[in-house]
Amino acid sequence: MDSRVSSPEKQDKENFVGVNNKRLGVCGRILFSLSFLLVIITFPISIWMCLKIIKEYERAVVFRLGRIQADKAKGPGLILVLPCIDVFVKVDLRTVTCNIPPQEILTRDSVTTQVDGVVYYRIYSAVSAVANVNDVHQATFLLAQTTLRNVLGTQSLSQILAGREEIAHSIRTLLDDATELWGIRVARVEIKDVQIPVQLQRSMAAEAEATREARAKVLAAEGEMNASKSLKSASMVLAESPIALQLRYLQTLSTVATEKNSTIVFPLPMNILEGIGGVNSDNHKKLPNKA
């Protein structure tokens, strides 16, 4: 498991630029005392102004006299904010969906295409997200666009079409490393669509069609070769047994008669009638002589 997932709050101080444990100083202590005294004097009214509710999916970064009050954000629940000296910023920790508009990219094989995607990320360190970058969402959005163009520019068109998952994983890794100091964790990157020029689509379709036709011709030739080998083997079997040819004639006649009820003229060799009614080929040859 990622160490940032298991203990994100422990790394807030490491990822945050400028957090320190310096005290407020003499002037700061005086202002803090005056603010606390004001809360006590106007207690029935001030308590409603000092108590703030932070939702479960939010965190509050409290600035006291311009400095971070603690190394980690406060919340969820009730927090106490002193008037005049405390200012707090709410940070939403829920997952954010960032749609990358279509980016015109020149691939490694000099093909112009448009690719769009989507990035899912969330803030895991509210302190770093507030103090380390001006607008964390806008910065992540622009960085995602630049990273998408840079990564896809090193790939060919066939690699982009066939390896979307690998490309998305590499983009997520680069984004996650770059936004670590901003308190951002990129959860997922997906490439939604790859738009190819119409002329190139026609060329690819013609190439695919030619490939399929060539494969079909090869398969048909292989089928003819296998069929000729089978016919050769069958002819050798029939040559060894002449009666087998006659049986094949009768089998074909039975099949045709079952499928189509019509008059069939079928050649019947005379040697089949041998042994039927005393008729043989020798008697048949002698009949004209007697006449």
Side-chain angles (χ1 to χ4, degrees), residues 281-291:
S281 57
D282 297 334
N283 296 332
H284 184 268
K285 293 178 180 178
K286 293 178 181 180
L287 288 179
N289 296 331
K290 292 180 180 181

Side-chain angles (χ1 to χ4, degrees), residues 2-260:
D2 192 353
S3 59
R4 290 181 294 156
V5 178
S6 59
S7 57
E9 298 298 343
K10 293 182 180 179
Q11 296 190 0
D12 285 352
K13 184 176 179 180
E14 298 177 359
N15 296 335
F16 175 59
V17 177
V19 170
N20 52 57
N21 294 324
K22 293 181 179 180
R23 298 181 180 179
L24 296 177
V26 178
C27 184
R29 290 181 180 180
I30 293 174
L31 293 176
F32 176 77
S33 301
L34 292 177
S35 178
F36 192 74
L37 182 61
L38 179 63
V39 172
I40 295 177
I41 294 174
T42 61
F43 176 71
I45 300 176
S46 62
I47 192 63
W48 301 105
M49 300 175 59
C50 296
L51 290 179
K52 303 297 181 181
I53 299 176
I54 305 301
K55 297 179 182 179
E56 183 68 28
Y57 54 85
E58 293 178 340
R59 296 295 182 270
V61 181
V62 181
F63 292 87
R64 178 164 294 170
L65 296 177
R67 295 183 177 181
I68 300 292
Q69 184 179 358
D71 293 346
K72 62 180 181 179
K74 292 186 177 182
L78 289 173
I79 64 172
L80 180 64
V81 179
L82 297 179
C84 302
I85 64 171
D86 285 353
V87 177
F88 74 97
V89 178
K90 286 185 179 181
V91 179
D92 196 332
L93 301 184
R94 291 178 293 182
T95 300
V96 179
T97 303
C98 175
N99 288 318
I100 303 176
Q103 304 293 311
E104 189 170 355
I105 298 169
L106 182 64
T107 61
R108 190 176 62 182
D109 50 353
S110 301
V111 177
T112 303
T113 181
Q114 290 187 347
V115 182
D116 58 348
V118 59
V119 179
Y120 300 92
Y121 68 92
R122 74 178 187 89
I123 298 174
Y124 76 92
S125 175
V127 176
S128 299
V130 172
N132 286 4
V133 61
N134 182 20
D135 189 345
V136 64
H137 298 291
Q138 182 67 13
T140 305
F141 173 70
L142 295 177
L143 181 61
Q145 290 184 2
T146 305
T147 305
L148 179 66
R149 288 196 297 267
N150 293 339
V151 172
L152 294 182
T154 60
Q155 306 289 329
S156 63
L157 181 60
S158 59
Q159 291 175 341
I160 294 175
L161 296 176
R164 291 190 181 186
E165 294 184 0
E166 291 78 6
I167 295 174
H169 179 71
S170 61
I171 294 174
R172 188 195 70 81
T173 302
L174 293 175
L175 283 177
D176 202 24
D177 294 338
T179 58
E180 182 177 358
L181 293 179
W182 301 346
I184 297 293
R185 186 174 75 252
V186 180
R188 191 177 183 87
V189 176
E190 292 292 341
I191 297 177
K192 294 194 298 184
D193 188 19
V194 179
Q195 298 180 5
I196 304 173
V198 178
Q199 203 169 19
L200 182 59
Q201 291 181 11
R202 294 175 181 174
S203 301
M204 294 176 65
E207 181 182 0
E209 185 177 0
T211 303
R212 287 194 297 268
E213 289 181 356
R215 189 182 298 113
K217 290 181 179 179
V218 171
L219 293 176
E222 291 179 354
E224 291 292 338
M225 182 178 64
N226 294 333
S228 61
K229 291 181 179 179
S230 299
L231 290 175
K232 179 181 178 181
S233 301
S235 62
M236 295 177 63
V237 173
L238 293 176
E240 294 177 357
S241 178
I243 195 62
L245 181 61
Q246 308 302 328
L247 294 176
R248 182 59 182 165
Y249 283 162
L250 296 176
Q251 187 179 8
T252 304
L253 179 60
S254 176
T255 303
V256 173
T258 303
E259 293 179 355
K260 297 181 180 180

